[in-house]
């Protein structure tokens, strides 16, 4: 028990970290008014249940019992009419789709994905989520890697700042591979889409790529790849790779799995 | 030792299904504070939380017979409440404006028993309420309630990476609001050097 003079209190004197505060957050007692209302509602529900015809095993809802034949007939008629309506609507939609299909460009289907193409206002990993598996998902033009490509300019370090650095980078606006090629000549090989896809598949064969940041690692040009850790769903893999990253050779400079 | 053993949660649920008029209320009494906590923290609004908890528990009352027993009864109730909160949050997101509680510390946090926890709780609740809903839900479920990233991703129908990102952003914002270190113990390092695999640098043509 903590007293003002106990060791526990002394422990409290040091500043708690956020994880400690969150993990130690005490339950919030339900306010008396809310509890009373809740138990009233449960009592009312109990009364309804008691008033309903008794059911021998609690597994069958009472309404399934003793349906009036006239009500059943009326219900069947309504169900039949509803089914007919659904069939007609589906057929109509199908005919309309067939009719309009000729004029549609295959890329128009991809246009739906355009809504999840890089945009500064959209969460980067939301985009990654919508576009999995990463290698298969194109961007609006049908040529993107399927995950946000960033050029944050961060010089990553494997220290306590790394997770914060990564998520700060994710806040930056995604860029096109063409832009990266111009800005980061040292990493130019990786701005080729197929090469980038091969590299990412080598580093994160399980997919779940959150972002790829053309940046630096310890001052050297490097691509930092953030992806779900397939061995620990609470973790994220952060891998810094060099320009030779490709199938069979990730050219990894560093790799870490952190709880993010 | 108490000579009369109190029924387990599973006993109470079975009794309720069998028609016991008081069993479900007793079950709710046991868990109501924890259920309330998760609801009020995820929704950030006591009125919405009260409705969510009530809807969820009435649903549990009606469908108790469908409980298969493959999880603890408390976890089952918890999950139902969490789902109700997510549904409400989605509905709220579809509405044109969301009003954040101005006096969250007064409305959300009742005095906690543990004096040692109270300082943090009074600071934490309004800070949580100030987070964007998606980030708040992720932080509450993962960091406070202990759900796995995968579970939260499933509950929220988003990818695990999205949950991670929301947690990271939420934690960063929370740390700023509360004024504490985000993830760095005073004398520790969240990225222990022993866990870092540094690959020896390889010569490349592109590097100077």
């Amino acid at each position: 028990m903590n007293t003002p003079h106990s060791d526990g209190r002394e422990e409290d004197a040091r500043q708690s970290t956020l994880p400690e505060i969150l993990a130690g957050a005490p339950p919030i007692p339900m306010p008396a008014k809310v509890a009373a209302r809740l138990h009233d509602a449960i009592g009312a529900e109990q009364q309804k249940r008691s008033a309903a015809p008794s059911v021998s095993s609690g597994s069958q809802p009472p309404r399934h019992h003793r349906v009036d034949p006239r009500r059943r007939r009326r219900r069947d008629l309504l169900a039949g009419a509803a089914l007919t309506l659904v069939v007609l609507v589906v057929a109509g939609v199908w005919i309309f789709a067939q009719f309009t299909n000729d004029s549609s460009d295959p890329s128009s289907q991809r246009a739906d994905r355009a809504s999840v193409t890089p945009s500064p206002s959209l969460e980067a990993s939301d985009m990654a989520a919508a576009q999995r598996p990463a290698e298969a998902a194109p961007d609006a033009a049908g040529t993107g890697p399927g995950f946000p490509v960033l050029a944050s300019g961060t010089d990553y370090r494997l220290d306590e700042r790394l997770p914060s650095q990564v998520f700060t980078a994710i806040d930056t606006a995604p860029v096109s591979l063409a832009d990266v090629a111009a800005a980061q000549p040292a990493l130019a090989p990786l701005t080729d889409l197929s090469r980038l896809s091969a590299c990412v598949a080598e580093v994160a064969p399980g997919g779940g790529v959150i972002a790829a940041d053309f940046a630096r690692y310890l001052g050297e040009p490097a691509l930092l790849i953030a992806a779900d850790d397939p061995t620990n769903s609470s973790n994220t893999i952060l891998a810094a790779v060099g320009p030779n990253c490709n199938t069979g050779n990730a050219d990894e400079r560093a790799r870490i799995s952190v709880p993010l | 030792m108490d000579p009369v053993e109190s029924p387990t949660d599973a006993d109470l649920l079975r009794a309720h299904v069998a028609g016991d008029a008081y069993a479900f209320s007793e079950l709710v009494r046991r868990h109501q504070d924890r259920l309330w906590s998760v609801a009020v923290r995820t929704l950030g609004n006591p009125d919405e939380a009260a409705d969510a908890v009530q809807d969820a528990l009435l649903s549990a009352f009606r469908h108790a017979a469908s409980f298969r027993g493959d999880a603890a009864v408390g976890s089952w109730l918890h999950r139902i409440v969490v789902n109700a909160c997510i549904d409400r949050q989605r509905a709220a997101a579809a509405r044109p404006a969301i009003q954040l509680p101005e006096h969250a510390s007064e409305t959300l946090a009742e005095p906690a028993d543990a004096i040692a926890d109270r300082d943090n709780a009074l600071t934490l609740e309004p800070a949580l309420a100030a987070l964007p809903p998606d980030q708040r839900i992720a932080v509450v479920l993962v960091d406070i309630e202990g759900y796995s990233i995968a579970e939260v991703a499933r509950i929220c129908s988003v990818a695990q990476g999205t949950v991670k990102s929301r947690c990271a952003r939420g934690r960063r914002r929370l740390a700023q609001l509360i004024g504490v270190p985000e993830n760095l113990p005073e004398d520790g390092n969240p990225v222990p050097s022993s866990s870092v695999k540094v690959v020896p640098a390889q010569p490349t043509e592109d590097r100077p």
Side-chain angles (χ1 to χ4, degrees):
Chain A
M1 179 171 176
N2 283 346
T3 66
H5 303 291
S6 70
D7 290 346
R9 177 57 87 184
E10 285 165 15
E11 181 101 344
D12 290 341
R14 102 178 151 75
Q15 189 179 25
S16 300
T17 63
L18 185 63
E20 290 169 340
I21 292 171
L22 293 174
I28 303 171
M30 182 180 276
K33 261 195 305 191
V34 175
R37 195 187 107 184
L38 173 63
H39 286 279
D40 283 352
I42 291 171
E45 195 70 17
Q46 181 62 49
Q47 280 189 340
K48 269 197 268 177
R49 185 169 83 148
S50 304
S54 66
V55 183
S56 55
S57 82
S59 59
Q60 291 284 332
R63 59 193 160 85
H64 287 181
H65 290 260
R66 294 200 296 263
V67 177
D68 179 351
R70 281 175 300 178
R71 286 180 61 194
R72 181 190 288 169
R73 224 175 7 256
R74 196 163 61 228
R75 192 183 61 191
D76 290 348
L77 276 173
L78 282 172
L83 183 63
T84 307
L85 185 63
V86 167
V87 168
L88 286 173
V89 167
V90 169
V93 168
W94 184 80
I95 290 166
F96 179 75
Q98 291 296 109
F99 180 74
T100 56
N101 197 33
D102 291 342
S103 61
S104 67
D105 186 307
S107 63
S108 66
Q109 292 176 351
R110 295 187 201 117
D112 287 343
R113 287 209 176 270
S115 61
V116 292
T117 47
S119 154
S121 62
L122 201 58
E123 269 192 38
S125 54
D126 280 338
M127 289 185 281
Q131 296 175 333
R132 286 175 199 205
E135 293 73 21
D139 68 8
T143 56
F147 47 80
V149 172
L150 313 170
S152 70
T154 308
D155 188 4
Y156 290 101
R157 311 259 158 187
L158 286 179
D159 58 21
E160 72 278 3
R161 290 167 296 173
L162 183 63
S164 172
Q165 281 183 316
V166 170
F167 282 98
T168 300
I170 284 178
D171 280 335
T172 62
V175 296
S176 72
L177 287 173
D179 290 343
V180 176
Q184 289 256 40
L187 295 172
L190 294 175
T191 59
D192 174 72
L193 178 61
S194 59
R195 178 71 179 279
L196 176 63
S197 298
C199 168
V200 165
E202 184 67 25
V203 172
V209 178
I210 296 170
D213 186 11
F214 285 80
R216 305 179 84 78
Y217 170 65
L218 296 179
E220 298 276 323
L223 176 67
L224 191 112
I225 298 167
D228 293 340
D229 184 342
T231 63
N232 182 348
S233 64
S234 299
N235 278 22
T236 295
I237 290 173
L238 304 173
V241 303
N244 291 332
C245 178
N246 203 344
T247 303
N249 170 26
D251 191 12
E252 267 187 25
R253 307 296 159 78
R255 166 183 285 252
I256 186 172
S257 177
V258 292
L260 284 179
Chain B
M1 173 150 333
D2 187 354
V4 182
E5 276 190 34
S6 58
T8 64
D9 289 351
D11 292 338
L12 287 173
L13 197 64
R14 272 193 295 272
H16 164 67
V17 171
D20 186 312
Y22 304 102
F24 195 81
S25 291
E26 174 58 24
L27 187 60
V28 168
R29 256 179 223 106
R30 288 184 182 181
H31 295 279
Q32 66 189 29
D33 285 350
R34 190 167 171 239
L35 299 176
W36 172 251
S37 299
V38 72
V40 79
R41 281 176 175 145
T42 52
L43 290 169
N45 177 319
D47 293 334
E48 286 280 320
D51 288 345
V53 169
Q54 182 165 317
D55 289 352
L57 291 176
L58 290 182
S59 175
F61 180 102
R62 294 176 196 129
H63 300 102
S66 68
F67 176 67
R68 293 195 302 270
D70 48 6
V73 173
S75 303
W76 177 66
L77 292 175
H78 201 267
R79 183 65 177 265
I80 292 172
V81 169
V82 167
N83 284 333
C85 292
I86 301 289
D87 288 346
R88 281 190 169 267
Q89 192 270 320
R90 284 190 185 126
R95 290 198 287 269
I98 298 171
Q99 188 183 357
L100 288 175
E102 289 179 11
H103 305 291
S105 63
E106 295 163 21
T107 54
L108 301 187
E110 292 213 334
D113 288 337
I115 292 171
D117 288 331
R118 188 164 58 192
D119 291 341
N120 281 340
L122 290 173
T123 312
L124 175 62
E125 306 307 337
L128 275 173
L131 291 183
D134 286 345
Q135 295 175 15
R136 184 171 62 234
I137 287 170
V139 168
V140 168
L141 296 184
V142 173
D143 294 328
I144 298 180
E145 299 297 328
Y147 279 68
S148 70
I149 295 281
E151 275 179 296
V152 177
R154 214 165 30 244
I155 292 170
C156 298
S157 305
V158 297
Q160 292 185 26
T162 305
V163 177
K164 290 174 182 175
S165 170
R166 288 175 181 173
C167 281
R169 290 157 195 262
R171 288 169 194 152
R172 194 167 54 196
R173 182 84 186 112
L174 264 185
Q176 289 167 350
L177 290 169
I178 299 174
V180 296
E182 181 180 346
N183 200 23
L184 181 64
E186 279 189 341
D187 52 353
N189 188 332
V191 185
S193 56
S194 59
S195 71
V196 178
K197 175 188 152 202
V198 178
V199 183
Q202 299 167 13
T204 66
E205 293 171 5
D206 301 293
R207 277 192 286 158

